[in-house]
Amino acid sequence: MPRSPAWTHDELLLACALVVENGWNELREGDLRVVDLSDLLRSLPIHEGAARTIPKFRSIGSVSRKTSDLASNHPAYVGTPTKGGRLDREVISAFITRPAEMLLAAATLRQGIGTGELYTIPQDPDELDDEGNSAIEGRLLTRWALYRERDRALRARKIAQAAKLGQPLQCEVCDFDFGSIYGDLGAGYIEVHHRLPLHVSGLRETKLDNLAFLCANCHRMCHRSRAGESWRTPSALRAELVKSTS
């Protein structure tokens, strides 16, 4: 019989949020929150077909055990921790250092699942990096953010706003201007990226002021995943650029 696939950042995000809300304590199998999370995880568009082909996939018992892993691997836990894994420790660390932001990410993910929108967005090759890693908030929120950034109408509105205000179409991180380098070929071209992560800015319609202009290189660096980290904001990437060139 096939084994259940390893837990992803998305799933650990939702499980750890429950553990945090429970005072960093595990949740038993009889807890209705565990039952609810088991049903939710089995519905996520991540492990295609696993819920249909693996009877024990994200069962109530397995979800309860994962909350034990997350609770017992907290640095302040008194006793012998369960084995856990690297991703468990990354998510635990993120919730310890950025509890409000991570809880908001979990709530945003739940909201997206509840509205059904996340089930309609196709997979994106950029939701995982070359090593198969995603941002600490998981691939589904990453997929959602990429989908919004690639909305042609939204990008056109942002460019139109810049033209109306007399703002240059240049990268807000490195100042690169496609038009000045490539002439007519590059005139009017620029990419956009959220100034704030999707779960921070909220699920409402994306505001133009929450979009930054980026060149392709800086956009890629904002999206590049590192273990246990979120995507970088344009301002954070600019700080790194200044630091590396000073």
Side-chain angles (χ1 to χ4, degrees):
M1 179 175 295
R3 298 179 61 182
S4 290
W7 284 66
T8 64
H9 276 109
D10 303 75
E11 296 169 306
L12 292 172
L13 174 72
L14 295 171
C16 199
L18 285 187
V19 173
V20 173
E21 291 165 355
N22 199 42
W24 279 103
N25 294 307
E26 67 176 316
L27 287 84
R28 304 288 185 174
E29 291 186 28
D31 194 312
L32 291 180
R33 292 170 294 179
V34 173
V35 178
D36 172 72
L37 183 56
S38 172
D39 290 339
L40 187 65
L41 297 181
R42 288 175 61 84
S43 76
L44 290 183
I46 299 176
H47 306 293
E48 301 299 333
R52 295 191 304 273
T53 59
I54 305 174
K56 293 186 178 181
F57 172 72
R58 304 300 181 256
S59 65
I60 294 172
S62 69
V63 171
S64 176
R65 286 192 296 274
K66 181 51 66 179
T67 68
S68 297
D69 292 339
L70 295 166
S72 67
N73 279 275
H74 188 287
Y77 181 78
V78 177
T80 303
T82 60
K83 185 176 180 180
R86 176 181 62 84
L87 290 187
D88 293 0
R89 292 186 289 273
E90 287 179 5
V91 171
I92 291 168
S93 177
F95 270 95
I96 291 173
T97 57
R98 296 179 286 135
E101 185 178 337
M102 295 302 291
L103 285 171
L104 185 55
T108 302
L109 180 55
R110 276 187 172 271
Q111 188 174 353
I113 294 167
T115 64
E117 186 174 355
L118 277 173
Y119 296 99
T120 66
I121 300 174
Q123 292 187 22
D124 191 299
D126 290 333
E127 66 194 46
L128 297 174
D129 64 15
D130 293 338
E131 285 73 46
N133 300 312
S134 68
I136 191 67
E137 296 84 9
R139 62 192 296 182
L140 292 179
L141 287 180
T142 297
R143 182 185 303 176
W144 203 351
L146 287 167
Y147 181 78
R148 287 193 172 190
E149 287 181 358
R150 290 169 181 169
D151 183 334
R152 293 182 179 180
L154 186 64
R155 176 176 166 274
R157 285 170 50 210
K158 177 67 176 177
I159 291 175
Q161 180 194 59
K164 182 178 180 180
L165 297 175
Q167 298 172 341
L169 288 186
Q170 65 183 38
C171 179
E172 297 183 26
V173 173
C174 72
D175 299 327
F176 184 87
D177 186 316
F178 284 92
S180 65
I181 300 298
Y182 296 107
D184 290 342
L185 179 63
Y189 181 79
I190 197 71
E191 297 182 9
V192 297
H193 180 76
H194 289 91
R195 297 184 189 279
L196 296 174
L198 177 65
H199 61 274
V200 174
S201 64
L203 300 184
R204 60 188 180 277
E205 182 180 357
T206 301
K207 294 183 178 180
L208 297 182
D209 289 342
N210 190 38
L211 294 174
F213 288 135
L214 294 181
C215 70
N217 284 347
C218 289
H219 201 180
R220 176 62 64 178
M221 289 299 98
C222 279
H223 283 183
R224 190 177 186 202
S225 297
R226 286 179 179 168
E229 293 185 6
S230 300
W231 275 358
R232 278 151 294 288
T233 63
S235 59
L237 183 63
R238 185 171 180 86
E240 289 198 28
L241 178 63
V242 170
K243 180 180 179 181
S244 68
T245 55
S246 60

